[in-house]
Amino acid sequence: MTDELRQLLQTAGVPAPYLFVGHSLGGIYAQRYAQRFPGEVAGMLLLEPPHEDFLIHTPKLKKRYLLQQGFAMLRTLVAYKRVFRGIFEHMFEEWPDAVREPLIQYHLRTLTKTISERKNLNGELYDDIRKGGKLPDAPLIVFSTLGNDPFMTPITSRSFLHENMDSFNRAKTAIYGALGTGERK
């Protein structure tokens, strides 16, 4: 992906250095680009980027939650468009009428692609980030919310989320704070 992005920028005649703004998976791609081509990056603004070590720093799912977790996943798989439509409706409820429904429809159409791309995170992409070294000495801002992630709610046991929310928040604070030092944590 970073090779394609670099080629696209060069072909379009956009000169480096670049300011990357990456949301979610785009945040991982921006970091990987910065690792590979540090002299071409002026800074990064990352919005809710996934972190390769998030699951290492969070509580493990205990056996007592397995049945509830299975039901949560099954319920979401059976009615995933309805479940995620509700999340998107809430997310865009303040947006103007003219753009709200097209945004919801777009996100629902691209949901399966997003899910399949995120499957690669735990494999090759996270390994590339882990082994890629430090981020360049460039300005970096990471925006991430603490609290209940609306996209985790439908696929995670409610009791597990409730019991472990403080642990999730501490993990996010620690790992995203380390990004500002250029270190992987």
Side-chain angles (χ1 to χ4, degrees):
M1 183 64 71
T2 55
D3 286 333
E4 289 177 19
L5 178 57
R6 189 176 198 214
Q7 182 64 43
L8 176 70
L9 290 167
Q10 290 172 349
T11 300
V14 180
Y18 308 111
L19 170 62
F20 285 103
V21 178
H23 172 253
S24 191
L25 184 58
I28 290 285
Y29 293 140
Q31 291 175 72
R32 187 66 185 127
Y33 193 102
Q35 287 175 324
R36 293 190 63 212
F37 314 110
E40 297 179 18
V41 177
M44 290 185 290
L45 171 62
L46 308 179
L47 310 167
E48 288 292 342
H51 191 280
E52 67 276 10
D53 291 334
F54 181 70
L55 294 177
I56 294 169
H57 293 283
T58 56
K60 305 298 177 247
L61 189 65
K62 296 176 183 159
K63 288 181 184 178
R64 69 176 184 233
Y65 296 115
L66 289 178
L67 186 58
Q68 294 172 357
Q69 182 67 25
F71 283 130
M73 293 293 287
L74 183 60
R75 182 179 60 243
T76 301
L77 287 173
V78 167
Y80 82 95
K81 284 216 176 191
R82 184 179 47 78
V83 169
F84 285 100
R85 172 176 264 293
I87 291 171
F88 295 134
E89 285 174 349
H90 180 70
M91 185 185 326
F92 297 121
E93 69 187 352
E94 303 280 328
W95 288 61
D97 293 341
V99 295
R100 184 177 37 252
E101 187 59 29
L103 275 172
I104 292 169
Q105 289 300 322
Y106 170 79
H107 284 288
L108 288 172
R109 273 193 319 273
T110 61
L111 189 59
T112 52
K113 183 176 184 204
T114 301
I115 291 168
S116 67
E117 284 182 0
R118 288 189 67 98
K119 286 180 186 177
N120 292 332
L121 286 178
N122 289 329
E124 179 182 334
L125 197 50
Y126 275 169
D127 288 342
D128 289 346
I129 288 288
R130 281 187 190 101
K131 295 172 185 171
K134 288 185 173 189
L135 294 174
D137 186 19
L140 169 67
I141 298 172
V142 178
F143 284 110
S144 181
T145 59
L146 298 178
N148 195 5
D149 178 347
F151 292 95
M152 279 183 70
T153 303
I155 60 171
T156 309
S157 157
R158 287 185 183 120
S159 54
F160 178 73
L161 279 176
H162 178 72
E163 184 178 307
N164 294 288
M165 192 53 60
D166 288 341
S167 296
F168 286 119
N169 289 338
R170 281 192 303 276
K172 276 184 138 182
T173 301
I175 60 180
Y176 292 131
L179 277 179
T181 65
E183 296 292 331
R184 305 309 308 173
K185 184 174 182 180

